[in-house]
């Protein structure tokens, strides 16, 4: 091998080495996004004991207007659970989730409605979520019916939370069954 060939070989080896370093170095410098859990939608997530709340939103036309809670609640325990949402000005609603199943609040025949949203659409409202002895406060986004996918969940301004409802079937993985929610409003709103 002559000097020119050795030089070309050395340059090629250096180029391959630099290429490998830049390819393998990306994972070292940047965090892996797949290892971070986050809400990939408009709603927020929270865990409450064996309950998992996903894509939680409140749909309302204004701060002092009724707001419908939508999202999904997964119950991984072996017993039925009652989940209470307590928002601004004493607004409260509750839902029931059967053991080892899920309830999709956007599919319920009896919607979970808070008597007041608590903030103008576009803001976050603190909501205390309780089930049994477990409790957490979650900042839930409030949206209005501007986007077509939320317009159908917008309660009318005269909507008042219902007193009670009989729990129905819970949703299935395919979402074919309609779960039921129980709602109530605290006095003094």
């Amino acid at each position: 091998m002559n000097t020119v060939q050795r030089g070309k070989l050395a340059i090629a080896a250096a180029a391959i080495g630099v290429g490998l370093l830049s390819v393998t170095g990306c994972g070292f410098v940047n965090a892996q996004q797949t290892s971070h859990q986050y809400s990939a939608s408009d709603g927020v997530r929270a865990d409450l004991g064996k309950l998992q709340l996903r894509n939680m939103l409140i749909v309302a036309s204004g701060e002092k207007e009724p707001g419908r809670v939508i999202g999904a609640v997964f119950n991984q325990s072996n017993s039925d659970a009652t989940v209470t949402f307590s928002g601004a000005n004493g607004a409260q609603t509750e839902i029931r989730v059967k053991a080892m199943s899920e309830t999709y609040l956007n599919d319920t025949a009896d919607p979970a409605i808070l008597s007041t949203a608590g903030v103008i659409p576009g803001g976050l409202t603190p909501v205390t979520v309780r089930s049994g002895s477990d409790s957490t406060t979650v900042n839930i986004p409030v949206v209005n019916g501007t986007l077509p996918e939320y317009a159908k969940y917008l309660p009318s301004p005269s909507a008042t939370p219902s007193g009670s409802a009989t729990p129905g079937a819970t949703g299935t993985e395919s979402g074919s069954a309609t779960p039921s929610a129980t709602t109530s409003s605290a006095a003094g709103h």
Side-chain angles (χ1 to χ4, degrees):
M1 208 182 245
N2 64 28
T3 312
V4 174
Q5 289 175 330
R6 282 190 207 142
K8 288 181 182 179
L9 185 59
I11 290 173
I16 291 172
V18 168
L20 287 174
L21 284 175
S22 66
V23 170
T24 58
C26 289
F28 179 73
V29 175
N30 298 324
Q32 292 179 344
Q33 292 302 314
T34 56
S35 64
H36 299 286
Q37 293 187 7
Y38 65 96
S39 295
S41 62
D42 294 335
V44 295
R45 54 182 277 139
D47 293 328
L48 186 65
K50 296 265 185 179
L51 297 173
Q52 296 177 336
L53 290 79
R54 298 296 183 258
N55 198 25
M56 303 305 295
L57 287 170
I58 296 173
V59 183
S61 60
E63 176 179 2
K64 297 182 188 214
E65 300 298 326
R68 180 172 178 179
V69 180
I70 63 172
V73 181
F74 299 92
N75 184 355
Q76 296 181 341
S77 73
N78 292 324
S79 57
D80 294 354
T82 299
V83 181
T84 304
F85 298 91
S86 301
N89 302 320
Q92 186 172 333
T93 187
E94 63 182 32
I95 61 161
R96 293 189 182 111
V97 185
K98 298 237 183 244
M100 301 302 290
S101 68
E102 61 276 338
T103 295
Y104 298 99
L105 299 177
N106 48 328
D107 289 340
T108 59
D110 186 19
I113 297 179
L114 295 167
S115 59
T116 180
V119 298
I120 61 171
L124 297 171
T125 188
V127 175
T128 301
V129 183
R130 225 176 30 257
S131 181
S133 63
D134 295 326
S135 177
T136 188
T137 299
V138 182
N139 288 321
I140 298 181
V142 177
V143 299
N144 60 19
T146 302
L147 296 174
E149 57 266 28
Y150 299 127
K152 64 184 174 183
Y153 302 117
L154 194 61
S156 66
S158 63
T160 56
S162 59
S164 65
T166 307
T170 59
T172 61
E173 286 186 41
S174 64
S176 61
T178 304
S180 178
T182 301
T183 59
S184 64
S185 174
H189 52 251

